[in-house]
């Protein structure tokens, strides 16, 4: 990957190898799928007006630990208030997170990423150019992807990050490398904003 840089005409660009672009799109797609599954949850006693306005969501927190991290309770000490807040806000939050991930994927597609056939590792690089709105969507989507990976890897502290990186399990070590790389991508995007 060539890191994000600010262009003179105002856009922020980066170039990804084809495998990196596919990895980013795949991870964003997994987050979208997880959130869309949650967004489809209905409660039998939902307020019809709230449902029509797109506000009638579940009042119970998700069971999946990743979704618990992506959609945390607003009031940790009061389950009733947390449930009410969740019921009226979760659907909008979920939709915003899906839109951010879709923006990330869309930017990669606009930069030349295709999903036809098996990815050719020697294919043309994917160059993305982001406007200010897309930059914010990328930052949020990358945060969500990293949070999801951190939960799956059991990372809660810096010490956990080091332990996971030193894992003898090749799959865990590979996911740790991806987690670190995503941090690098996000870091270069933030640096390009300064």
């Amino acid at each position: 990957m060539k890191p994000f840089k600010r262009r003179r005409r105002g856009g922020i660009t980066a170039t990804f190898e084809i495998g990196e672009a596919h990895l980013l799109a795949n991870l964003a797609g997994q987050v979208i799928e997880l959130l869309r599954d949650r967004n489809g949850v209905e409660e039998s006693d939902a307020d019809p007006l709230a449902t029509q306005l797109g506000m009638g969501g579940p009042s119970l927190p998700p069971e999946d630990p990743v979704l618990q991290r992506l959609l945390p309770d607003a009031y940790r000490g009061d389950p009733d208030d947390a449930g009410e807040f969740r019921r009226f806000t979760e659907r909008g939050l979920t939709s915003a997170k899906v839109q951010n991930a879709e923006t990330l994927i869309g930017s990669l597609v606009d930069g030349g990423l295709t999903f036809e056939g098996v990815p050719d590792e020697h294919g043309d690089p994917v160059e993305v150019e982001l406007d200010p709105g897309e930059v914010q969507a990328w930052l949020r989507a990358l945060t969500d992807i990293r949070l999801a990976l951190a939960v799956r890897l059991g990372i809660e502290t810096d010490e956990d990050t080091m332990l996971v990186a030193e894992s003898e399990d090749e799959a865990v070590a590979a996911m740790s490398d991806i987690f670190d790389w995503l941090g690098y991508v996000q870091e270069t995007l933030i640096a390009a904003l300064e």
Side-chain angles (χ1 to χ4, degrees), residues 59-61 72-86:
S59 60
L60 296 175
D73 278 336
Y75 303 98
R76 293 183 191 245
D78 188 335
D80 291 335
D81 284 347
E84 277 301 293
F85 187 83
R86 179 179 297 283

Side-chain angles (χ1 to χ4, degrees), residues 36-48:
R36 280 193 176 147
D37 287 347
R38 175 65 180 179
N39 221 12
V41 173
E42 295 285 338
E43 291 196 10
S44 59
D45 62 345
D47 178 349

Side-chain angles (χ1 to χ4, degrees), residues 14-18 21 107-114 124-128:
T15 304
F16 295 92
E17 296 299 323
I18 194 73
S107 300
L108 292 168
V109 170
D110 290 346
L113 180 65
T114 63
D124 292 332
V126 174
E127 185 173 321
V128 297

